[in-house]
Amino acid sequence: MYWSDETINWSGLYLRDGDQLYLGPFMGKPACTSIPLGTGVVGTCAAKQEALLVPDVHAFAGHIACDSDSRSEAVFPLMEDGTCIAVLDIDCLETDGISRGEFESFRDIAGMLEPLLRQLRQQTLPFSA
């Protein structure tokens, strides 16, 4: 994702442990390493357990500006047994820069990541929802 579009400036995973989301694998500038559940776009996604397309992050109440160049964002909860265990986060340099079609494509990618992450959690990852 990060390399597929020159306006996508960040993509990565935030992994949930209790009421916190911790930075996992990512591509882009260094980012926030911990986000409380329910805070910012990522934390809201995890708390509501629903994908969000945010056309203007600066208009989102409580937005956390990890990269001040980001203008729009798409986030997707990765679920296990009805609980959000991680969030796929994709940032864009342009306001309203993620189209509905791109959003749906990213949702498909999140759907492919979900079973892989569940499998890894059972084997090796030291975090829990």
Side-chain angles (χ1 to χ4, degrees):
M1 286 172 286
Y2 177 75
W3 58 89
S4 67
D5 182 330
E6 61 189 37
T7 65
I8 300 296
N9 62 315
W10 198 93
S11 63
L13 290 174
Y14 279 92
L15 310 173
R16 183 173 174 187
D17 188 4
D19 290 337
Q20 293 287 318
L21 295 150
Y22 294 98
L23 182 62
F26 72 96
M27 292 293 297
K29 292 180 181 178
C32 301
T33 58
S34 176
I35 298 175
L37 193 66
T39 304
V41 176
V42 170
T44 299
C45 170
K48 290 185 173 186
Q49 298 187 10
E50 64 184 45
L52 300 172
L53 176 58
V54 180
D56 181 356
V57 294
H58 299 293
F60 189 91
H63 169 66
I64 301 168
C66 294
D67 182 347
S68 61
D69 291 336
S70 294
R71 298 287 181 259
S72 56
E73 188 168 1
V75 289
F76 305 88
L78 304 180
M79 307 292 292
E80 180 177 53
D81 297 328
T83 300
C84 177
I85 58 172
V87 173
L88 173 61
D89 182 12
I90 301 162
D91 293 5
C92 181
L93 293 169
E94 297 176 355
T95 301
D96 205 19
I98 299 171
S99 71
R100 180 53 69 178
E102 290 170 321
F103 181 77
E104 294 305 325
S105 293
F106 294 148
R107 183 191 306 270
D108 290 344
I109 292 169
M112 289 184 265
L113 289 173
E114 204 170 52
L116 297 172
L117 186 57
R118 286 195 303 258
Q119 183 179 7
L120 285 172
R121 280 172 44 88
Q122 292 174 1
Q123 295 174 11
T124 60
L125 293 179
F127 68 94
S128 63

